[in-house]
Amino acid sequence: VLATGCVKTQSGRKVAAVPFVKDKVEGRYERPVAQVYIAAKEVVIANGVLQNELTLHSTNNAVVLAIEGRVQERKVFIGVKEIDPRVTSVVVQARTSAGGRDLDVAHEIEKQIALKLATR
């Protein structure tokens, strides 16, 4: 039995969704945060609509740059943060309007970010 609840997005918001299921794809790149963030933003704009950009600060001084957008009628949430000075993590979540996950769209966005970084 699946119950509907709330899940936290990469932008720090909570949205109605089915909890306790894998809903994100992560990639790690040996690139500075700024390069990965710009690539992620360009991918969202090329595939859909960029809706919001946020900078989140956590209690351990970590900074997460977040992007919200719509791609293929899916809500897309992307978080970009520094793992160490040489490695940056990008986490992509994609949700349907009903709150279901869409790992295919999340994986496609993450793959396009990787390809964009490889061509720079």
Side-chain angles (χ1 to χ4, degrees), residues 1-114:
V1 177
L2 292 176
T4 309
C6 289
V7 295
K8 189 173 180 182
T9 67
Q10 293 304 303
S11 59
R13 302 177 197 264
K14 292 191 181 216
V15 295
V18 178
F20 311 117
V21 293
K22 180 179 174 168
D23 70 338
K24 55 189 145 212
V25 176
E26 180 180 16
R28 292 186 177 202
Y29 308 103
E30 289 188 14
R31 298 292 179 110
V33 171
Q35 277 186 6
V36 177
Y37 181 74
I38 290 168
K41 199 165 124 178
E42 289 173 353
V43 167
V44 170
I45 291 169
N47 288 283
V49 177
L50 178 68
Q51 293 180 314
N52 202 4
E53 297 178 67
L54 302 123
T55 302
L56 308 169
H57 301 274
S58 69
T59 55
N60 61 356
N61 293 330
V63 175
V64 177
L65 301 175
I67 299 168
E68 294 178 351
R70 291 193 71 77
V71 174
Q72 298 178 14
E73 298 182 23
R74 302 293 188 243
K75 296 175 189 172
V76 175
F77 306 95
I78 302 172
V80 179
K81 69 179 178 181
E82 181 180 88
I83 300 299
D84 67 45
R86 295 183 311 130
V87 178
T88 299
S89 166
V90 62
V91 178
V92 182
Q93 290 173 292
R95 292 268 171 194
T96 66
S97 58
R101 67 182 179 176
D102 191 333
L103 286 177
D104 291 336
V105 170
H107 181 66
E108 180 62 28
I109 296 297
E110 192 276 325
K111 183 169 46 172
Q112 287 184 29
I113 293 168

